Amino acid sequence: MGDQQRTAEHSQQHFVKFTRKGRQDLQSQSKNIISNVLSFFKNLAENPEERKKLNFYQVMKLTAQACDVSVKTVQRIKRTLDSVEDDEEVQFETPRKRYKRNSTKTELNDFEKQVVRDTVFQYYDIGEFPTANKLRIDLEQKIGYSGSEDSVLRLLKSLGFKFRKFNDGRKYLMEHQDIAASRATFLRKMHSIRNESRPIVYLDETWVSQNHTDQYIWQNSNNSGGLKVPTGKEERLIIAHAGSATTGFIPDAKLVFREGERTQNCDYHSEMNSSLFKEWFVDKLLCRLEEGSVIVMDNASYHSALRDKIPDSKWKKNEIIEWLSVRNIPHDPTLTNAELLSIKEIKTAENRYELDCIANEMGHEVVRLPPYHCLYNPIEWIWAQVKREVASRNTTFKLADVEKLTNDVLDNVTKEDWAKCVEQAEDLQEADFQKQCSRDIIMEPIVIDLADSSDVSDIEIIEDD
């Protein structure tokens, strides 16, 4: 009997300690708990018969009833309290809060993602259809992938693939039509440009942090020795540049600035944005290119500001009417929004990117990379080379030193480095261009049958036939 009393007193003391120390983190939950406890004791005060039914030695059960929680919750809290010393601060996880897990298995770099895409297409090229299990085995051999079949499914979904059900019950891995169309358009355009021998310039942006270094170092058995990488928040450098096989990096076109730094003609920038990129693109790049150059870049948001937005269903009626009036397009203001949006000039209008228009006015042409195909851009290999060099030479982990080191490494990239990377990327482009027609022949009967089938649906589980 005495042990039970001591246990009850011990639990009550620790529970008071929990409510006092945890009130900042659980302020909103504590209000509900107080309300529940108040109602519980008020009910006991008004109903003497209820008090007679209580067994005050059942501390866990009474605590759960008073707080309106489960007994398991009280037991879990008591176990946490019993596991710490009296002078140690107690930390509790927020109840019912869901924490996002790190998707370590599907977080691949751009090169590894390209390996995944190439592996899928290799099956198409030999007339076979990939499954999750086949891809998992292949990726394990090629890039050391250790994820499950479910991880393969999530990875493929993030790369623009989906599994479609065929009308005979079989399932096929299909690429999104808009991605396939963008790739085919890009490959055909670049094939034509190479035959015309026009100068091609590739551009992109990247970043380098002040703690950028090699992941692994040699240490002795005591885990001592080697450089100590600082912990905590890292400052970064943002880099934008462009180059070609004949010139290497375009002379005097380099942009390197610190994240959050004030530039000469711009406000503070936490990262690259459309106004800063436009200033660099127009003032530092276009004026230094050969006449009639082709500029290859991706579809990042700050590359894709529109010169003239086209009305859509989100526009208000007065905005649509103003758009039509400015362009002297005949219209009836009494029409509804849907009728105004169906006017031929709006339906046939095409979005024009501001940077594309500026480049055209200066005698150049912009070609956009298809989504998820960064390895068509040789500057990705240049960035990898630059980052490896910075990582191997970064010993101070100070942003000023890393900035100087980064500028030195960029300046030391040679024309030969660029020529090698451009040849590698363009060989990949040409090989995929030649394979495009054979893939269409293989996929044509499936695409036609899927289009004719009335029972076509996406599925979430990949299985082997």
Side-chain angles (χ1 to χ4, degrees), residues 81-259:
L81 295 169
D82 291 342
S83 64
V84 299
E85 301 295 335
D86 291 337
D87 58 346
E88 185 179 351
E89 183 177 354
V90 184
Q91 294 183 352
F92 294 90
E93 293 183 358
T94 305
R96 299 183 179 88
K97 184 171 182 180
R98 299 292 182 265
Y99 297 92
K100 185 178 179 181
R101 295 186 305 169
N102 293 327
S103 302
T104 55
K105 302 303 182 185
T106 57
E107 290 178 353
L108 305 183
N109 59 38
D110 293 333
F111 294 94
E112 292 169 335
K113 289 178 181 178
Q114 186 63 37
V115 172
V116 176
R117 300 185 66 85
D118 291 341
T119 303
V120 173
F121 290 134
Q122 284 172 5
Y123 279 96
Y124 292 155
D125 294 339
I126 61 176
E128 296 183 10
F129 297 99
T131 63
N133 188 47
K134 291 179 181 178
L135 291 172
R136 182 188 62 78
I137 295 173
D138 288 344
L139 295 178
E140 183 179 0
Q141 296 174 349
K142 293 181 179 180
I143 59 175
Y145 186 80
S146 58
S148 64
E149 292 185 28
D150 288 338
S151 296
V152 173
L153 167 62
R154 290 190 291 272
L155 176 60
L156 292 170
K157 204 169 183 179
S158 69
L159 294 177
F161 289 95
K162 62 168 63 175
F163 242 62
R164 304 292 298 275
K165 186 166 66 175
F166 201 37
N167 60 357
D168 64 355
R170 291 177 294 171
K171 308 174 191 70
Y172 296 95
L173 188 61
M174 305 289 291
E175 189 176 31
H176 281 254
Q177 188 173 2
D178 56 341
I179 296 175
S182 298
R183 180 178 62 251
T185 301
F186 173 82
L187 293 174
R188 185 176 293 105
K189 181 70 175 177
M190 295 304 295
H191 176 78
S192 174
I193 290 171
R194 284 192 291 273
N195 290 336
E196 297 170 4
S197 300
R198 296 168 61 187
I200 303 174
V201 176
Y202 296 90
L203 70 82
D204 194 25
E205 308 79 34
T206 190
W207 58 269
V208 177
S209 71
Q210 67 183 67
N211 294 343
H212 184 63
T213 187
D214 293 328
Q215 285 187 317
Y216 299 97
I217 58 174
W218 286 102
Q219 289 187 328
N220 57 28
S221 58
N222 297 326
N223 293 329
S224 60
L227 298 173
K228 302 297 183 182
V229 181
T231 59
K233 185 177 179 180
E234 304 178 40
E235 294 185 89
R236 302 194 307 177
L237 297 173
I238 309 298
I239 307 168
H241 217 329
S244 68
T246 56
T247 64
F249 275 127
I250 303 300
D252 302 321
K254 176 179 61 178
L255 173 63
V256 180
F257 67 95
R258 300 184 184 187
E259 187 178 39

Side-chain angles (χ1 to χ4, degrees), residues 312-462:
D312 56 28
S313 58
K314 298 179 182 178
W315 283 40
K316 297 180 180 178
K317 184 174 181 178
N318 61 334
E319 295 174 337
I320 301 174
I321 292 175
E322 181 182 358
W323 190 90
L324 293 168
S325 301
V326 169
R327 290 156 185 78
N328 297 320
I329 299 174
H331 62 280
D332 182 358
T334 62
L335 296 177
T336 64
N337 284 24
E339 290 173 316
L340 290 171
L341 291 174
S342 65
I343 293 176
K344 180 180 178 181
E345 285 78 3
I346 294 180
K347 293 183 67 176
T348 58
E350 295 182 0
N351 285 320
R352 296 189 304 163
Y353 296 121
E354 184 179 19
L355 298 182
D356 296 23
C357 295
I358 294 174
N360 289 336
E361 292 165 2
M362 297 181 67
H364 307 298
E365 181 181 2
V366 173
V367 178
R368 302 281 175 147
L369 286 161
Y372 309 112
H373 290 76
C374 62
L375 288 192
Y376 287 164
N377 192 345
I379 201 172
E380 295 290 347
W381 281 289
I382 298 294
W383 292 147
Q385 175 183 330
V386 169
K387 288 189 175 185
R388 281 197 304 269
E389 186 68 17
V390 171
S392 65
R393 294 167 56 184
N394 181 19
T395 58
T396 65
F397 308 111
K398 296 180 180 179
L399 188 62
D401 295 337
V402 173
E403 184 174 9
K404 182 179 183 303
L405 175 59
T406 300
N407 280 287
D408 292 341
V409 172
L410 288 170
D411 294 340
N412 290 333
V413 175
T414 64
K415 293 181 183 179
E416 290 74 19
D417 294 330
W418 261 98
K420 181 180 178 180
C421 293
V422 169
E423 181 182 8
Q424 195 171 0
E426 293 186 348
D427 285 347
L428 178 61
Q429 295 175 19
E430 191 65 27
D432 284 355
F433 174 73
Q434 299 299 331
K435 293 176 181 177
Q436 193 70 45
C437 294
S438 60
R439 288 173 187 160
D440 285 345
I441 294 173
I442 294 172
M443 299 302 296
E444 184 177 8
I446 298 175
V447 174
I448 292 175
D449 215 333
L450 284 172
D452 293 340
S453 173
S454 60
D455 182 23
V456 178
S457 61
D458 298 340
I459 65 170
E460 295 297 330
I461 299 177
I462 298 178

